[in-house]
Amino acid sequence: DETIHVVSRACPLLVPLVENGRYQPGDVVIETVAREYLEPLRQEGLDVLILGCTHYPLLTDIIREIMGPEVSLVNAGAESVHTLHDALARRQLLAPEGTGQALLWPEGFGQMARRFLQEEPTAPVRLVDIERY
């Protein structure tokens, strides 16, 4: 579509800050870094901003404050999950509800689960050596 103008921006400092717990509104460090990355995009007059990393939804409040209410934020991870769910459902490949499948997490991710999921995991969790796969 020739009427759409796409702009991309790398934000390499955001992920390590989020992983170190620096994602809360009022944290001057994350707010300063986010503003540095997002201000040029805000000045371009974007109407939609795709949060293209699994860490960025934790920064939604900060990003919304910087970008303003007129900019729609799209959580790419959530949209991917919905698309995958729909594709699996069409092929009748969804696991039955309540089957209690284990979540497989690489070492170190378990403590971050509460941040990303914003709730306690309900399925059994076991660590996996991702180097084997």
Side-chain angles (χ1 to χ4, degrees), residues 68-122:
E70 64 279 356
V71 176
S72 298
L73 302 181
V74 176
N75 180 338
E79 294 303 319
S80 296
V81 167
H82 295 305
T83 300
L84 175 60
H85 179 275
D86 292 347
L88 291 172
R90 280 193 308 276
R91 292 170 179 82
Q92 299 180 341
L93 295 173
L94 290 175
E97 288 286 328
T99 56
Q101 298 297 316
L103 300 174
L104 305 178
W105 289 345
E107 188 171 352
F109 187 76
Q111 71 182 36
M112 293 178 56
R114 283 181 289 288
R115 288 184 197 159
F116 286 94
L117 301 175
Q118 298 180 348
E119 63 184 49
E120 291 293 326
T122 57

Short mmCIF file of all heavy atoms in Angstrom, two decimals, residues 68-122:
data_model
loop_
_atom_site.label_atom_id
_atom_site.label_comp_id
_atom_site.label_asym_id
_atom_site.label_seq_id
_atom_site.Cartn_x
_atom_site.Cartn_y
_atom_site.Cartn_z
N GLY A 68 1.40 9.69 23.43
CA GLY A 68 0.12 10.37 23.48
C GLY A 68 -1.03 9.44 23.14
O GLY A 68 -0.83 8.38 22.53
N PRO A 69 -2.24 9.84 23.52
CA PRO A 69 -3.40 8.96 23.36
C PRO A 69 -3.85 8.78 21.91
O PRO A 69 -4.57 7.84 21.60
CB PRO A 69 -4.50 9.68 24.16
CG PRO A 69 -4.06 11.10 24.18
CD PRO A 69 -2.56 11.09 24.17
N GLU A 70 -3.39 9.63 21.00
CA GLU A 70 -3.81 9.52 19.60
C GLU A 70 -3.06 8.42 18.85
O GLU A 70 -3.43 8.06 17.74
CB GLU A 70 -3.64 10.85 18.88
CG GLU A 70 -2.22 11.35 18.77
CD GLU A 70 -1.69 12.05 20.04
OE1 GLU A 70 -2.44 12.22 21.01
OE2 GLU A 70 -0.51 12.40 20.04
N VAL A 71 -2.02 7.85 19.47
CA VAL A 71 -1.24 6.78 18.85
C VAL A 71 -1.74 5.44 19.38
O VAL A 71 -1.74 5.20 20.58
CB VAL A 71 0.27 6.94 19.12
CG1 VAL A 71 1.05 5.76 18.55
CG2 VAL A 71 0.78 8.26 18.55
N SER A 72 -2.17 4.55 18.48
CA SER A 72 -2.60 3.21 18.86
C SER A 72 -1.37 2.33 19.06
O SER A 72 -0.47 2.32 18.22
CB SER A 72 -3.48 2.59 17.77
OG SER A 72 -4.64 3.34 17.60
N LEU A 73 -1.35 1.60 20.16
CA LEU A 73 -0.25 0.67 20.43
C LEU A 73 -0.70 -0.75 20.12
O LEU A 73 -1.78 -1.17 20.54
CB LEU A 73 0.18 0.76 21.90
CG LEU A 73 0.64 2.14 22.38
CD1 LEU A 73 1.08 2.06 23.84
CD2 LEU A 73 1.75 2.69 21.52
N VAL A 74 0.12 -1.48 19.37
CA VAL A 74 -0.19 -2.85 18.98
C VAL A 74 0.85 -3.76 19.63
O VAL A 74 2.05 -3.61 19.41
CB VAL A 74 -0.16 -3.03 17.45
CG1 VAL A 74 -0.37 -4.48 17.07
CG2 VAL A 74 -1.17 -2.12 16.79
N ASN A 75 0.37 -4.71 20.44
CA ASN A 75 1.23 -5.69 21.09
C ASN A 75 1.46 -6.83 20.10
O ASN A 75 0.59 -7.68 19.92
CB ASN A 75 0.55 -6.17 22.37
CG ASN A 75 1.36 -7.21 23.11
OD1 ASN A 75 2.21 -7.88 22.55
ND2 ASN A 75 1.08 -7.35 24.39
N ALA A 76 2.62 -6.85 19.45
CA ALA A 76 2.91 -7.85 18.42
C ALA A 76 2.87 -9.27 18.97
O ALA A 76 2.42 -10.20 18.30
CB ALA A 76 4.26 -7.58 17.78
N GLY A 77 3.32 -9.46 20.21
CA GLY A 77 3.29 -10.79 20.81
C GLY A 77 1.87 -11.29 20.99
O GLY A 77 1.56 -12.43 20.65
N ALA A 78 0.99 -10.44 21.51
CA ALA A 78 -0.41 -10.84 21.71
C ALA A 78 -1.08 -11.13 20.38
O ALA A 78 -1.85 -12.10 20.25
CB ALA A 78 -1.17 -9.75 22.47
N GLU A 79 -0.81 -10.32 19.37
CA GLU A 79 -1.40 -10.54 18.06
C GLU A 79 -0.91 -11.86 17.46
O GLU A 79 -1.68 -12.59 16.83
CB GLU A 79 -1.09 -9.38 17.11
CG GLU A 79 -1.74 -8.07 17.52
CD GLU A 79 -3.25 -8.17 17.64
OE1 GLU A 79 -3.90 -8.82 16.80
OE2 GLU A 79 -3.79 -7.60 18.60
N SER A 80 0.36 -12.20 17.68
CA SER A 80 0.90 -13.47 17.20
C SER A 80 0.23 -14.65 17.89
O SER A 80 -0.09 -15.66 17.25
CB SER A 80 2.41 -13.53 17.44
OG SER A 80 3.07 -12.54 16.69
N VAL A 81 -0.01 -14.52 19.18
CA VAL A 81 -0.67 -15.59 19.93
C VAL A 81 -2.09 -15.80 19.41
O VAL A 81 -2.53 -16.93 19.21
CB VAL A 81 -0.68 -15.28 21.45
CG1 VAL A 81 -1.63 -16.20 22.20
CG2 VAL A 81 0.73 -15.38 22.00
N HIS A 82 -2.81 -14.70 19.17
CA HIS A 82 -4.18 -14.83 18.64
C HIS A 82 -4.18 -15.49 17.26
O HIS A 82 -5.02 -16.35 16.99
CB HIS A 82 -4.86 -13.46 18.55
CG HIS A 82 -5.08 -12.80 19.88
ND1 HIS A 82 -5.77 -13.41 20.92
CD2 HIS A 82 -4.70 -11.61 20.35
CE1 HIS A 82 -5.79 -12.61 21.96
NE2 HIS A 82 -5.15 -11.51 21.65
N THR A 83 -3.23 -15.11 16.42
CA THR A 83 -3.14 -15.69 15.08
C THR A 83 -2.82 -17.19 15.17
O THR A 83 -3.43 -18.01 14.47
CB THR A 83 -2.08 -14.96 14.25
OG1 THR A 83 -2.45 -13.59 14.14
CG2 THR A 83 -1.94 -15.56 12.86
N LEU A 84 -1.88 -17.55 16.04
CA LEU A 84 -1.53 -18.96 16.22
C LEU A 84 -2.72 -19.74 16.76
O LEU A 84 -3.03 -20.83 16.27
CB LEU A 84 -0.34 -19.10 17.16
CG LEU A 84 0.06 -20.53 17.52
CD1 LEU A 84 0.44 -21.33 16.27
CD2 LEU A 84 1.19 -20.51 18.53
N HIS A 85 -3.41 -19.19 17.76
CA HIS A 85 -4.58 -19.87 18.33
C HIS A 85 -5.62 -20.13 17.25
O HIS A 85 -6.15 -21.24 17.15
CB HIS A 85 -5.18 -19.02 19.46
CG HIS A 85 -6.40 -19.65 20.06
ND1 HIS A 85 -7.65 -19.49 19.54
CD2 HIS A 85 -6.53 -20.45 21.15
CE1 HIS A 85 -8.51 -20.16 20.26
NE2 HIS A 85 -7.87 -20.75 21.25
N ASP A 86 -5.91 -19.12 16.44
CA ASP A 86 -6.90 -19.28 15.37
C ASP A 86 -6.47 -20.34 14.36
O ASP A 86 -7.28 -21.16 13.92
CB ASP A 86 -7.14 -17.94 14.66
CG ASP A 86 -7.84 -16.93 15.56
OD1 ASP A 86 -8.35 -17.32 16.64
OD2 ASP A 86 -7.85 -15.74 15.18
N ALA A 87 -5.18 -20.35 14.00
CA ALA A 87 -4.68 -21.33 13.04
C ALA A 87 -4.79 -22.75 13.61
O ALA A 87 -5.20 -23.68 12.91
CB ALA A 87 -3.23 -21.02 12.66
N LEU A 88 -4.43 -22.92 14.88
CA LEU A 88 -4.53 -24.23 15.51
C LEU A 88 -5.99 -24.67 15.64
O LEU A 88 -6.31 -25.84 15.42
CB LEU A 88 -3.85 -24.22 16.88
CG LEU A 88 -2.33 -24.09 16.87
CD1 LEU A 88 -1.81 -23.90 18.29
CD2 LEU A 88 -1.67 -25.27 16.19
N ALA A 89 -6.86 -23.74 15.98
CA ALA A 89 -8.29 -24.06 16.13
C ALA A 89 -8.87 -24.51 14.79
O ALA A 89 -9.62 -25.49 14.74
CB ALA A 89 -9.05 -22.86 16.67
N ARG A 90 -8.53 -23.82 13.70
CA ARG A 90 -9.04 -24.20 12.37
C ARG A 90 -8.62 -25.61 11.99
O ARG A 90 -9.34 -26.32 11.31
CB ARG A 90 -8.55 -23.21 11.30
CG ARG A 90 -9.32 -21.93 11.23
CD ARG A 90 -9.00 -21.13 9.97
NE ARG A 90 -7.59 -20.90 9.76
CZ ARG A 90 -6.88 -19.90 10.32
NH1 ARG A 90 -7.47 -19.04 11.13
NH2 ARG A 90 -5.61 -19.75 10.06
N ARG A 91 -7.44 -26.01 12.45
CA ARG A 91 -6.93 -27.35 12.14
C ARG A 91 -7.27 -28.37 13.24
O ARG A 91 -6.77 -29.49 13.21
CB ARG A 91 -5.43 -27.27 11.92
CG ARG A 91 -5.06 -26.51 10.67
CD ARG A 91 -3.55 -26.25 10.60
NE ARG A 91 -3.16 -25.54 9.42
CZ ARG A 91 -3.23 -24.22 9.25
NH1 ARG A 91 -3.71 -23.45 10.22
NH2 ARG A 91 -2.85 -23.64 8.14
N GLN A 92 -8.05 -27.94 14.22
CA GLN A 92 -8.44 -28.79 15.36
C GLN A 92 -7.22 -29.37 16.06
O GLN A 92 -7.18 -30.56 16.40
CB GLN A 92 -9.42 -29.88 14.90
CG GLN A 92 -10.70 -29.31 14.34
CD GLN A 92 -11.67 -30.38 13.89
OE1 GLN A 92 -11.31 -31.52 13.67
NE2 GLN A 92 -12.93 -30.00 13.76
N LEU A 93 -6.22 -28.52 16.31
CA LEU A 93 -4.98 -28.95 16.95
C LEU A 93 -4.79 -28.36 18.35
O LEU A 93 -3.72 -28.52 18.94
CB LEU A 93 -3.78 -28.56 16.07
CG LEU A 93 -3.70 -29.26 14.72
CD1 LEU A 93 -2.57 -28.68 13.88
CD2 LEU A 93 -3.51 -30.75 14.92
N LEU A 94 -5.82 -27.70 18.87
CA LEU A 94 -5.71 -27.14 20.22
C LEU A 94 -5.76 -28.26 21.26
O LEU A 94 -6.52 -29.22 21.11
CB LEU A 94 -6.84 -26.16 20.50
CG LEU A 94 -6.80 -24.84 19.74
CD1 LEU A 94 -8.07 -24.03 20.03
CD2 LEU A 94 -5.56 -24.04 20.10
N ALA A 95 -4.94 -28.14 22.30
CA ALA A 95 -5.00 -29.10 23.40
C ALA A 95 -6.32 -28.90 24.14
O ALA A 95 -6.80 -27.78 24.25
CB ALA A 95 -3.82 -28.88 24.35
N PRO A 96 -6.91 -29.96 24.64
CA PRO A 96 -8.15 -29.82 25.40
C PRO A 96 -7.94 -28.94 26.63
O PRO A 96 -6.87 -28.95 27.24
CB PRO A 96 -8.50 -31.25 25.81
CG PRO A 96 -7.71 -32.13 24.90
CD PRO A 96 -6.48 -31.35 24.51
N GLU A 97 -8.97 -28.17 26.99
CA GLU A 97 -8.90 -27.32 28.19
C GLU A 97 -8.59 -28.17 29.41
O GLU A 97 -9.09 -29.29 29.54
CB GLU A 97 -10.23 -26.60 28.40
CG GLU A 97 -10.51 -25.50 27.40
CD GLU A 97 -9.66 -24.26 27.64
OE1 GLU A 97 -9.33 -23.96 28.80
OE2 GLU A 97 -9.32 -23.60 26.64
N GLY A 98 -7.75 -27.64 30.30
CA GLY A 98 -7.48 -28.31 31.57
C GLY A 98 -6.59 -29.53 31.48
O GLY A 98 -6.60 -30.36 32.38
N THR A 99 -5.82 -29.68 30.39
CA THR A 99 -4.96 -30.86 30.29
C THR A 99 -3.70 -30.72 31.13
O THR A 99 -2.98 -31.69 31.31
CB THR A 99 -4.55 -31.12 28.82
OG1 THR A 99 -3.92 -29.95 28.30
CG2 THR A 99 -5.75 -31.50 27.98
N GLY A 100 -3.43 -29.53 31.66
CA GLY A 100 -2.30 -29.36 32.58
C GLY A 100 -0.96 -29.58 31.94
O GLY A 100 -0.07 -30.14 32.56
N GLN A 101 -0.79 -29.16 30.71
CA GLN A 101 0.50 -29.31 30.05
C GLN A 101 1.56 -28.47 30.78
O GLN A 101 1.28 -27.37 31.24
CB GLN A 101 0.41 -28.87 28.59
CG GLN A 101 -0.55 -29.70 27.77
CD GLN A 101 -0.10 -31.14 27.68
OE1 GLN A 101 1.06 -31.43 27.46
NE2 GLN A 101 -1.03 -32.06 27.86
N ALA A 102 2.77 -28.97 30.86
CA ALA A 102 3.86 -28.25 31.52
C ALA A 102 4.37 -27.14 30.63
O ALA A 102 4.40 -27.27 29.40
CB ALA A 102 4.99 -29.22 31.85
N LEU A 103 4.74 -26.04 31.26
CA LEU A 103 5.40 -24.96 30.54
C LEU A 103 6.89 -25.24 30.57
O LEU A 103 7.44 -25.59 31.61
CB LEU A 103 5.12 -23.62 31.22
CG LEU A 103 3.66 -23.20 31.33
CD1 LEU A 103 3.56 -21.93 32.16
CD2 LEU A 103 3.08 -23.00 29.96
N LEU A 104 7.55 -25.08 29.45
CA LEU A 104 8.99 -25.32 29.38
C LEU A 104 9.70 -23.98 29.28
O LEU A 104 9.52 -23.26 28.32
CB LEU A 104 9.32 -26.20 28.17
CG LEU A 104 8.58 -27.53 28.08
CD1 LEU A 104 8.96 -28.27 26.81
CD2 LEU A 104 8.87 -28.37 29.31
N TRP A 105 10.50 -23.67 30.28
CA TRP A 105 11.20 -22.39 30.31
C TRP A 105 12.68 -22.61 30.39
O TRP A 105 13.15 -23.49 31.10
CB TRP A 105 10.78 -21.60 31.54
CG TRP A 105 9.40 -21.07 31.50
CD1 TRP A 105 8.58 -20.97 30.42
CD2 TRP A 105 8.66 -20.57 32.60
NE1 TRP A 105 7.39 -20.43 30.78
CE2 TRP A 105 7.41 -20.18 32.11
CE3 TRP A 105 8.93 -20.41 33.94
CZ2 TRP A 105 6.44 -19.62 32.92
CZ3 TRP A 105 7.97 -19.87 34.75
CH2 TRP A 105 6.73 -19.48 34.24
N PRO A 106 13.45 -21.78 29.71
CA PRO A 106 14.90 -21.85 29.89
C PRO A 106 15.28 -21.35 31.28
O PRO A 106 14.54 -20.59 31.90
CB PRO A 106 15.45 -20.93 28.80
CG PRO A 106 14.33 -20.03 28.46
CD PRO A 106 13.06 -20.78 28.73
N GLU A 107 16.42 -21.79 31.77
CA GLU A 107 16.87 -21.39 33.10
C GLU A 107 16.92 -19.87 33.20
O GLU A 107 17.34 -19.18 32.29
CB GLU A 107 18.26 -21.97 33.37
CG GLU A 107 18.71 -21.76 34.79
CD GLU A 107 19.97 -22.51 35.11
OE1 GLU A 107 20.43 -23.32 34.29
OE2 GLU A 107 20.50 -22.27 36.20
N GLY A 108 16.47 -19.35 34.31
CA GLY A 108 16.50 -17.91 34.54
C GLY A 108 15.21 -17.20 34.17
O GLY A 108 14.96 -16.10 34.63
N PHE A 109 14.38 -17.82 33.35
CA PHE A 109 13.16 -17.15 32.92
C PHE A 109 12.05 -17.25 33.96
O PHE A 109 11.19 -16.39 34.04
CB PHE A 109 12.65 -17.70 31.58
CG PHE A 109 11.49 -16.91 31.03
CD1 PHE A 109 11.71 -15.69 30.44
CD2 PHE A 109 10.20 -17.38 31.14
CE1 PHE A 109 10.65 -14.95 29.93
CE2 PHE A 109 9.13 -16.65 30.64
CZ PHE A 109 9.37 -15.43 30.04
N GLY A 110 12.11 -18.29 34.79
CA GLY A 110 11.06 -18.51 35.78
C GLY A 110 10.80 -17.31 36.66
O GLY A 110 9.65 -16.96 36.91
N GLN A 111 11.85 -16.66 37.14
CA GLN A 111 11.65 -15.51 38.03
C GLN A 111 11.05 -14.32 37.30
O GLN A 111 10.44 -13.45 37.91
CB GLN A 111 12.96 -15.11 38.69
CG GLN A 111 13.96 -14.46 37.74
CD GLN A 111 15.27 -14.13 38.42
OE1 GLN A 111 15.72 -14.88 39.27
NE2 GLN A 111 15.86 -13.03 38.04
N MET A 112 11.19 -14.26 35.99
CA MET A 112 10.63 -13.16 35.22
C MET A 112 9.19 -13.42 34.81
O MET A 112 8.51 -12.53 34.32
CB MET A 112 11.49 -12.87 33.99
CG MET A 112 12.87 -12.35 34.36
SD MET A 112 13.91 -12.08 32.93
CE MET A 112 12.91 -10.99 31.97
N ALA A 113 8.72 -14.64 35.01
CA ALA A 113 7.37 -15.00 34.55
C ALA A 113 6.31 -14.08 35.13
O ALA A 113 5.39 -13.67 34.44
CB ALA A 113 7.06 -16.45 34.91
N ARG A 114 6.44 -13.77 36.42
CA ARG A 114 5.43 -12.91 37.04
C ARG A 114 5.41 -11.53 36.38
O ARG A 114 4.35 -10.93 36.25
CB ARG A 114 5.68 -12.79 38.53
CG ARG A 114 5.22 -14.03 39.28
CD ARG A 114 5.43 -13.92 40.77
NE ARG A 114 6.83 -13.98 41.18
CZ ARG A 114 7.58 -15.08 41.15
NH1 ARG A 114 7.08 -16.21 40.71
NH2 ARG A 114 8.83 -15.06 41.55
N ARG A 115 6.55 -11.03 35.97
CA ARG A 115 6.58 -9.72 35.28
C ARG A 115 5.84 -9.79 33.95
O ARG A 115 5.04 -8.94 33.63
CB ARG A 115 8.02 -9.28 35.03
CG ARG A 115 8.75 -8.86 36.24
CD ARG A 115 10.11 -8.35 35.84
NE ARG A 115 10.96 -8.31 37.02
CZ ARG A 115 12.27 -8.31 36.99
NH1 ARG A 115 12.89 -8.37 35.83
NH2 ARG A 115 12.97 -8.27 38.08
N PHE A 116 6.17 -10.81 33.15
CA PHE A 116 5.61 -10.90 31.81
C PHE A 116 4.15 -11.35 31.82
O PHE A 116 3.34 -10.84 31.06
CB PHE A 116 6.44 -11.83 30.93
CG PHE A 116 7.73 -11.21 30.50
CD1 PHE A 116 8.90 -11.42 31.22
CD2 PHE A 116 7.79 -10.39 29.40
CE1 PHE A 116 10.09 -10.84 30.84
CE2 PHE A 116 8.97 -9.80 29.00
CZ PHE A 116 10.13 -10.03 29.73
N LEU A 117 3.82 -12.32 32.66
CA LEU A 117 2.47 -12.85 32.70
C LEU A 117 1.58 -12.04 33.63
O LEU A 117 0.36 -12.10 33.53
CB LEU A 117 2.49 -14.32 33.16
CG LEU A 117 3.29 -15.29 32.32
CD1 LEU A 117 3.31 -16.66 32.96
CD2 LEU A 117 2.75 -15.34 30.90
N GLN A 118 2.19 -11.32 34.55
CA GLN A 118 1.50 -10.55 35.57
C GLN A 118 0.54 -11.42 36.38
O GLN A 118 -0.53 -11.01 36.78
CB GLN A 118 0.79 -9.34 34.96
CG GLN A 118 1.79 -8.40 34.33
CD GLN A 118 1.16 -7.18 33.71
OE1 GLN A 118 -0.04 -7.10 33.55
NE2 GLN A 118 1.99 -6.21 33.38
N GLU A 119 0.97 -12.66 36.59
CA GLU A 119 0.24 -13.60 37.44
C GLU A 119 1.14 -14.80 37.69
O GLU A 119 2.15 -14.99 37.02
CB GLU A 119 -1.07 -14.06 36.78
CG GLU A 119 -0.87 -14.81 35.47
CD GLU A 119 -2.17 -15.16 34.80
OE1 GLU A 119 -3.03 -14.29 34.65
OE2 GLU A 119 -2.32 -16.33 34.41
N GLU A 120 0.77 -15.59 38.67
CA GLU A 120 1.52 -16.81 38.96
C GLU A 120 1.18 -17.87 37.92
O GLU A 120 0.01 -18.01 37.55
CB GLU A 120 1.16 -17.34 40.35
CG GLU A 120 1.65 -16.47 41.49
CD GLU A 120 3.17 -16.45 41.60
OE1 GLU A 120 3.81 -17.48 41.31
OE2 GLU A 120 3.70 -15.40 41.98
N PRO A 121 2.16 -18.62 37.43
CA PRO A 121 1.85 -19.70 36.49
C PRO A 121 1.01 -20.77 37.18
O PRO A 121 1.24 -21.08 38.34
CB PRO A 121 3.22 -20.24 36.09
CG PRO A 121 4.22 -19.60 36.96
CD PRO A 121 3.58 -18.48 37.70
N THR A 122 0.05 -21.31 36.45
CA THR A 122 -0.83 -22.33 37.02
C THR A 122 -0.45 -23.73 36.57
O THR A 122 -0.85 -24.70 37.20
CB THR A 122 -2.30 -22.06 36.62
OG1 THR A 122 -2.39 -22.00 35.20
CG2 THR A 122 -2.80 -20.75 37.23
#
